[in-house]
Amino acid sequence: MRALIDRIEAVIQRDVGRGMEAVFQAARGGLHGAVQALADHHAPRIGLITGFFVPGGDPPAAETDGPAGAALLAFGFLGAGLDCRLATDTGCASACRAALARVGAGAVPIDHVAPDEEVDGLVDRWRAAGIDWVIAIERCGPSADGRARNMRGGDISAHAAPLDRLFSAEPWRTIAIGDGGNEIGMGCVPRALIAKHVPLGELNGCVVPADFLIAAGVSHWGAYAMLAALALLRPDWAAALRAGLDPVLDRAVVEAMVRLGPAVDGVTRRREQTIDALAMEVHHGVMAAVRAVC
């Protein structure tokens, strides 16, 4: 199983022009570590954190990468009989709601937090709900100076709630999925390495670590990989998890986000049915390659 999971990780670690090869090497094995630890837990209660607001978008909105993958994960987890909930910024809540509704997970609680709001109360709610695993996917996090930045170096702290504090709270264990060095979890990678290899990495690199980091060419692919790898390790969850690896469902999620969220592509900043400027056919080629490993 370890060999198969490492092959899945290799599929998603394809650089799309961000200089992430060195980060991939530093994070290698993160997928296996994450899914093995999660699979060892009989019935985990999972908290998802996502949302990367694009203030320069047309219109300003959440980007498609992140909420779409979180919805696929929620779909798989709920089908496997697991409890989950989701936290995001107030500005990203409508996109997350549209994504969850499209996969039939509209009942998943969404905890949305304003950029100037403290998260202590939310931490208490997650503890009371028995959350024991937290997964962040394409979630911006603070760099060395405490500011959250996008890949262009723009400071988006005014639009980003301090959900890194929720992520880093206890008693849960943490998994992070990222693709550009500025996401929660990238603190697992030496800052000097991100600064050297990733454009604007010295400025943007997130300093918040995770117990397990899954680095991918596009964060959305990390959701594919988690579903497939967990299905290998948990036969009792496998059918539900693999049902999330459906290109028709995946496309429908992105369409719903763009139409109803609204949501924008984080690279082009336009309201279009793409993720990181890549057509859904490209993403579904990666999905097919992940499925083929299994």
Side-chain angles (χ1 to χ4, degrees):
M1 289 302 180
R2 173 63 191 263
L4 288 174
I5 292 170
D6 287 347
R7 284 173 59 193
I8 292 170
E9 185 179 58
V11 168
I12 66 167
Q13 288 187 335
R14 188 183 86 194
D15 186 53
V16 296
R18 296 183 178 132
M20 288 287 289
E21 289 289 355
V23 176
F24 294 158
Q25 185 172 354
R28 201 148 289 156
L31 176 63
H32 178 265
V35 296
Q36 184 65 71
L38 188 56
D40 286 344
H41 198 130
H42 173 65
R45 293 176 178 265
I46 298 167
L48 298 165
I49 300 178
T50 193
F52 209 124
F53 195 77
V54 185
D58 182 18
E63 74 162 300
T64 47
D65 195 15
L72 294 183
L73 290 172
F75 174 78
F77 294 148
L78 290 177
L82 307 181
D83 291 335
C84 65
R85 62 192 302 140
L86 183 145
T88 192
D89 307 300
T90 300
C92 297
S94 60
C96 292
R97 190 172 295 111
L100 289 172
R102 189 59 187 82
V103 299
V108 169
I110 298 178
D111 300 299
H112 52 85
V113 182
D116 59 352
E117 187 178 347
E118 293 298 324
V119 298
D120 294 349
L122 180 52
V123 171
D124 290 341
R125 287 200 299 275
W126 279 33
R127 287 173 178 161
I131 297 297
D132 41 33
W133 278 92
V134 174
I135 302 171
I137 177 168
E138 187 63 12
R139 173 64 201 178
C140 58
S143 54
D145 64 359
R147 313 301 290 176
R149 293 184 172 85
N150 59 29
M151 290 295 291
R152 298 174 178 86
D155 185 345
I156 62 167
S157 302
H159 308 277
L163 294 177
D164 59 287
R165 299 174 195 168
L166 172 65
F167 183 82
S168 301
E170 297 177 347
W172 39 77
R173 302 189 73 191
T174 57
I175 298 169
I177 301 171
D179 62 18
N182 58 343
E183 302 92 358
I184 284 176
M186 288 292 172
C188 292
V189 178
R191 186 169 170 234
L193 186 148
I194 292 177
K196 179 178 179 181
H197 294 280
V198 179
L200 298 178
E202 184 171 3
L203 178 67
N204 297 344
C206 179
V207 297
V208 178
D211 290 324
F212 303 98
L213 171 64
I214 300 169
V218 177
S219 292
H220 193 60
W221 302 348
Y224 299 162
M226 278 205 72
L227 290 169
L230 270 174
L232 289 172
L233 297 177
R234 287 295 297 259
D236 53 332
W237 300 349
L241 297 173
R242 288 177 179 150
L245 296 172
D246 178 355
V248 175
L249 179 66
D250 195 25
R251 184 184 298 276
V253 169
V254 176
E255 289 176 349
M257 287 177 60
V258 171
R259 180 168 54 89
L260 302 173
V264 298
D265 185 297
V267 174
T268 69
R269 294 180 282 186
R270 294 192 296 267
R271 193 173 180 177
E272 52 195 5
Q273 295 167 14
T274 55
I275 296 176
D276 282 3
L278 299 173
M280 294 309 296
E281 289 81 5
V282 176
H283 299 292
H284 296 158
V286 174
M287 179 190 286
V290 167
R291 289 181 63 100
V293 174
C294 300

